[in-house]
Amino acid sequence: MEKPISKVVRLLKDMRHQLDNEQSEDQKLYDKMKCWCNTNGEEKTQAISIANKRISSLDAMVQEKIAHAAELHTEINKLGEEIAKNTGALNQATSNRDKASAEFHDEEKDLIQSIDALKNAIVVLGKHHDNPTAGLMSVQSLLKQALGKHKDILDDMMPSNRGVVSSFLQQPAHFKSYAPQSGQIFGILKQMKEQFEKNLANARKNDMADQESYSQLKQAKEEEIAAGKDQVETKESDLADTNEDLANGKSDLEDTAAALAADQAFLADLTAKCAATDKEFQERSKERADEIAAVGEAISILNDPDSFDLFGKTTTQKSMRTQQDGFLQLGAEVVRTRARNSAVAQLQAVAEKTGSSQVAALALKAKLDDFVKVKAAIDKMVAELTKQQEEEIAKKDYCVEAINKNEKEIALGTQNQEYLQSKSNQLESNIKTLTEEIEAAQAEIKETKIQIKRAGEDRAAANNDFQTTVADQRETQTILKKVVERLEQYYVEKVGPQVFAQEDPVPGAAAPPPPPGFKEYKKNEGGNKIIAMINNVIHESQQVENEAIQSEKDAQAQYEGFVQDSNRAVAALEKSISDNKAERADDSSELSSVKGDLKQQGDELEALAGLKADVHKDCDFLLENFDIRQDTRAEEIEGLKEAKAALSGAV
């Protein structure tokens, strides 16, 4: 039979072995925790440093983009003012040119009419040179008509000629005293015609010079306006890109700041948790070391040879006293023995049924210790089991609540994740559509500008043709007019006197034979026909010139209308591009935010899934075996109470 002291030594050794195992398990857990603390602490410290640098960089970039956007706004507004100023100047120049052109055409028309009138007056006066009174009324009327529109011609005449003209205009149409001055009037009329033709040539030359100046001004202003609009387009595109970069930068800055805050919070929690773990491990290690030392000292004391001898003597002396008093206590001892056996049997039965090592140990204790200690141990165990029952019920309630809450949060998170994913898909689709619309508008702007350039080139070529046509017609007219003047000098001055000489024949004289110059007389008629034909050609040339001028005006108006319509279309497309870029920037910013929320939601669902696994790991066994454990523990409590009752009955 094992001695009680040996049994105690064995139990102490088992206890020390258990303490060593616990210390080893604590050390393993602490090493793992220390590794986790060091690794995550270093990673989070590095992440915080990176985030701080990135925040500084992003903040600088955001400030730079804000300043650049403000600068672009100022430059765009300034360019708009310059475009408006140049457009106003061009419109004013166009208005002035149209007005001057209209005045020129009116003056040209008046000069042409006056020249034609003077030509007719010269012809009439030439025909009636020997008998001027015959055409005085017609000449006087034509001269009045010409001088009525151009009084400055009269002012520019020599005083003697001006007096002759004034006297001529004031005489009645039937006067005869004017005849001696008909040659002087004839010369004055030719001088006036030449002056009018000179004025007409100067007016046309000045109009062409004004048109050339206007064309150069218009081209310069249109180039300035086009260059300004190109700059506005470039800067508006730059502004849209800047705003988009600014939105992305702000979003990145917010995301980085949020990540920094999360890392800082995690690092602070990690530091506190790891410090608490260090403290707890040190305290546990110290406490366990003290316990191991105490157990070891106890074993050493019990294993000492002197102690064994002392224990042997003590046992022998106790046997002798027991033998002397045995007969007196035999009856009470029998009762206690039966009660002890009953209690031990009861405890062993409960231990076998419930599989409780503590109850089995208590049954062993009931064999060795006195009833008071055993009953106290039973009361303590009953209290512990009752407490376990209550804690297990509380834990079951917690588990049910935690599982339900976790399932609800997962369902809500999944629903929100699906919503965010749908929104992300929609935003990506919108961004794609906006990008396609921007690219289409940019392509249309490019094509429109090409058409404007081609139209400008066609207009310039047509204007060159117009200038050539007008110059050719006017040069033709000038040449033909010189021809007419030369022919008129011959036919009017040479033929006219021959005809007039035949008007006063000698009475009774025989008719002279046809003069040899009769054919010359036909030449005179042919010359007049040629003059008439040339005048018709001159008239047709003038019509061609006028039609070319009108066609040029119409073509220029159509070109300007096309350019204006195209510029309005380009402006509308540019506004559409700017609006679409702004909308795309907003959608990009929102998409970035949605993706951040989607990632956060995914992380939360992952965390909830991990929590679900932890809860089920902690609770599934309890929930599945709750009734059995409760019933078993209740039986265990009842058996303990019955064992106590058995012990109580033996006292």
Side-chain angles (χ1 to χ4, degrees):
M1 179 178 179
E2 184 181 18
K3 294 181 180 181
I5 297 302
S6 298
K7 184 176 182 181
V8 170
V9 171
R10 181 172 56 80
L11 291 175
L12 287 172
K13 288 181 178 180
D14 292 342
M15 186 181 297
R16 186 174 64 182
H17 180 69
Q18 182 179 358
L19 290 172
D20 291 338
N21 289 337
E22 291 176 355
Q23 176 65 22
S24 177
E25 290 297 324
D26 280 0
Q27 185 65 49
K28 291 179 182 179
L29 292 175
Y30 177 73
D31 290 341
K32 291 180 180 179
M33 188 66 179
K34 198 66 178 177
C35 178
W36 179 84
C37 290
N38 293 336
T39 301
N40 288 277
E42 292 174 358
E43 290 179 355
K44 289 302 177 183
T45 300
Q46 184 179 4
I48 289 170
S49 176
I50 293 172
N52 283 323
K53 292 179 181 178
R54 179 170 175 77
I55 286 173
S56 298
S57 175
L58 287 172
D59 185 63
M61 185 272 286
V62 167
Q63 297 303 320
E64 179 184 352
K65 293 298 180 182
I66 291 174
H68 187 50
E71 180 182 358
L72 287 174
H73 275 297
T74 302
E75 292 176 353
I76 289 171
N77 292 335
K78 185 176 180 181
L79 286 171
E81 293 173 357
E82 291 178 357
I83 291 172
K85 182 179 178 181
N86 288 330
T87 302
L90 178 59
N91 292 337
Q92 183 63 42
T94 302
S95 176
N96 294 339
R97 177 60 196 142
D98 292 342
K99 182 179 178 181
S101 179
E103 292 175 353
F104 161 71
H105 287 298
D106 291 340
E107 182 182 2
E108 183 183 40
K109 182 179 179 182
D110 292 341
L111 287 171
I112 291 172
Q113 290 176 352
S114 297
I115 291 170
D116 291 341
L118 288 171
K119 285 181 180 180
N120 293 331
I122 291 170
V123 172
V124 171
L125 191 59
K127 288 180 180 180
H128 303 282
H129 190 68
D130 293 336
N131 187 16
T133 56
L136 290 178
M137 186 174 181
S138 175
V139 172
Q140 191 179 46
S141 175
L142 292 172
L143 187 57
K144 283 182 179 180
Q145 180 181 356
L147 292 175
K149 295 180 179 179
H150 303 280
K151 294 180 180 180
D152 55 332
I153 296 296
L154 186 62
D155 295 336
D156 293 337
M157 290 182 181
M158 296 176 61
S160 58
N161 291 341
R162 186 165 56 246
V164 172
V165 173
S166 298
S167 176
F168 172 71
L169 294 175
Q170 293 173 3
Q171 292 295 329
H174 59 278
F175 69 91
K176 297 181 179 180
S177 60
Y178 175 74
Q181 298 179 341
S182 62
Q184 189 175 4
I185 290 297
F186 186 84
I188 291 172
L189 292 177
K190 289 186 68 178
Q191 182 181 357
M192 289 176 61
K193 181 177 80 67
E194 292 173 355
Q195 183 63 41
F196 280 150
E197 290 173 344
K198 182 179 179 181
N199 291 345
L200 177 60
N202 290 335
R204 287 173 174 172
K205 181 179 180 181
N206 293 335
D207 181 68
M208 290 182 68
D210 292 342
Q211 177 63 34
E212 180 65 22
S213 298
Y214 166 72
S215 298
Q216 293 177 357
L217 173 64
K218 181 179 179 182
Q219 181 179 0
K221 289 298 180 183
E222 287 178 344
E223 289 176 354
E224 290 177 4
I225 291 171
K229 289 182 177 180
D230 289 340
Q231 292 183 36
V232 168
E233 177 186 357
T234 300
K235 291 186 182 298
E236 286 181 345
S237 178
D238 189 9
L239 179 60
D241 294 338
T242 300
N243 289 334
E244 184 174 358
D245 292 341
L246 179 59
N248 293 333
K250 288 182 177 179
S251 177
D252 291 345
L253 185 60
E254 292 176 358
D255 294 343
T256 305
L260 174 62
D263 286 344
Q264 289 174 335
F266 178 84
L267 183 60
D269 181 66
L270 178 143
T271 302
K273 182 180 293 185
C274 293
T277 301
D278 290 340
K279 182 179 179 182
E280 182 181 1
F281 178 73
Q282 291 174 0
E283 292 176 350
R284 288 170 61 89
S285 297
K286 184 178 181 302
E287 185 70 24
R288 187 174 288 106
D290 293 341
E291 186 175 0
I292 291 173
V295 172
E297 290 176 2
I299 293 173
S300 298
I301 294 171
L302 292 176
N303 283 334
D304 185 84
D306 295 336
S307 297
F308 265 95
D309 294 340
L310 181 60
F311 292 146
K313 294 177 181 179
T314 302
T315 303
T316 302
Q317 292 174 357
K318 184 177 180 181
S319 277
M320 292 176 64
R321 286 195 300 270
T322 300
Q323 186 176 7
Q324 292 173 356
D325 298 333
F327 294 105
L328 297 176
Q329 299 177 354
L330 180 60
E333 185 65 26
V334 171
V335 173
R336 284 196 297 271
T337 299
R338 291 177 179 175
R340 184 190 299 273
N341 292 337
S342 176
V344 169
Q346 186 69 30
L347 291 173
Q348 288 177 341
V350 171
E352 291 176 359
K353 186 173 183 180
T354 61
S356 174
S357 60
Q358 292 178 325
V359 176
L362 185 61
L364 180 61
K365 187 177 181 67
K367 289 182 178 181
L368 301 175
D369 296 340
D370 57 43
F371 286 1
V372 175
K373 291 182 179 181
V374 174
K375 288 168 64 177
I378 290 173
D379 289 338
K380 181 179 179 181
M381 186 172 293
V382 168
E384 290 177 353
L385 291 173
T386 303
K387 182 180 179 182
Q388 290 176 5
Q389 288 284 80
E390 294 172 352
E391 290 176 349
E392 198 170 73
I393 292 172
K395 186 173 181 180
K396 176 195 175 186
D397 295 338
Y398 157 77
C399 289
V400 171
E401 181 181 358
I403 290 173
N404 292 336
K405 181 181 179 182
N406 179 262
E407 291 176 350
K408 182 177 180 181
E409 289 177 348
I410 289 176
L412 292 175
T414 302
Q415 182 179 2
N416 187 46
Q417 186 183 46
E418 292 173 353
Y419 164 74
L420 290 172
Q421 186 62 53
S422 174
K423 190 172 184 180
S424 174
N425 294 338
Q426 182 180 1
L427 287 171
E428 288 177 346
S429 176
N430 289 344
I431 291 172
K432 180 181 178 183
T433 301
L434 290 171
T435 301
E436 292 173 351
E437 292 178 355
I438 290 170
E439 292 174 351
Q442 290 173 339
E444 187 173 351
I445 288 174
K446 183 178 179 181
E447 179 62 25
T448 302
K449 288 184 177 180
I450 291 174
Q451 294 300 326
I452 292 175
K453 182 179 178 181
R454 289 177 179 172
E457 293 171 351
D458 294 341
R459 180 84 280 278
N463 182 260
N464 289 334
D465 293 341
F466 160 74
Q467 298 292 343
T468 302
T469 299
V470 171
D472 291 345
Q473 295 302 319
R474 289 176 179 175
E475 185 177 357
T476 300
Q477 294 168 26
T478 301
I479 294 172
L480 291 176
K481 286 176 183 178
K482 289 181 180 179
V483 174
V484 170
E485 289 177 359
R486 184 67 185 88
L487 291 174
E488 284 178 344
Q489 288 176 3
Y490 175 79
Y491 288 109
V492 172
E493 294 177 2
K494 298 294 183 180
V495 177
Q498 293 178 6
V499 175
F500 291 153
Q502 297 175 1
E503 291 180 357
D504 190 17
V506 177
F518 184 74
K519 291 183 178 180
E520 293 293 327
Y521 182 76
K522 285 186 176 181
K523 284 185 179 181
N524 179 44
E525 291 179 352
N528 288 331
K529 290 180 180 179
I530 291 173
I531 291 172
M533 290 174 62
I534 293 174
N535 285 330
N536 288 333
V537 173
I538 292 173
H539 179 69
E540 291 175 356
S541 176
Q542 290 173 343
Q543 287 182 334
V544 171
E545 177 186 349
N546 293 333
E547 290 174 358
I549 292 172
Q550 186 60 45
S551 298
E552 171 66 13
K553 286 184 177 180
D554 294 341
Q556 182 65 25
Q558 291 177 358
Y559 168 71
E560 291 175 355
F562 170 75
V563 172
Q564 291 174 357
D565 293 341
S566 298
N567 287 335
R568 282 194 290 269
V570 169
L573 289 170
E574 288 173 344
K575 185 177 184 302
S576 173
I577 290 173
S578 178
D579 294 342
N580 285 343
K581 283 187 175 181
E583 184 179 352
R584 184 176 68 178
D586 293 339
D587 287 349
S588 297
S589 176
E590 186 177 0
L591 177 61
S592 177
S593 177
V594 168
K595 285 188 175 180
D597 294 341
L598 190 60
K599 183 180 182 304
Q600 182 180 357
Q601 185 62 68
D603 293 340
E604 291 178 359
L605 285 174
E606 185 176 352
L608 288 172
L611 178 61
K612 177 180 179 181
D614 292 341
V615 170
H616 280 284
K617 181 179 180 181
D618 187 39
C619 296
D620 284 353
F621 179 78
L622 172 64
L623 294 176
E624 293 171 359
N625 300 278
F626 177 76
D627 293 337
I628 296 174
R629 288 169 62 84
Q630 287 286 309
D631 293 342
T632 301
R633 194 176 286 108
E635 292 177 359
E636 189 175 350
I637 292 171
E638 186 62 29
L640 290 171
K641 289 180 178 179
E642 291 177 358
K644 179 182 176 183
L647 292 175
S648 298
V651 179

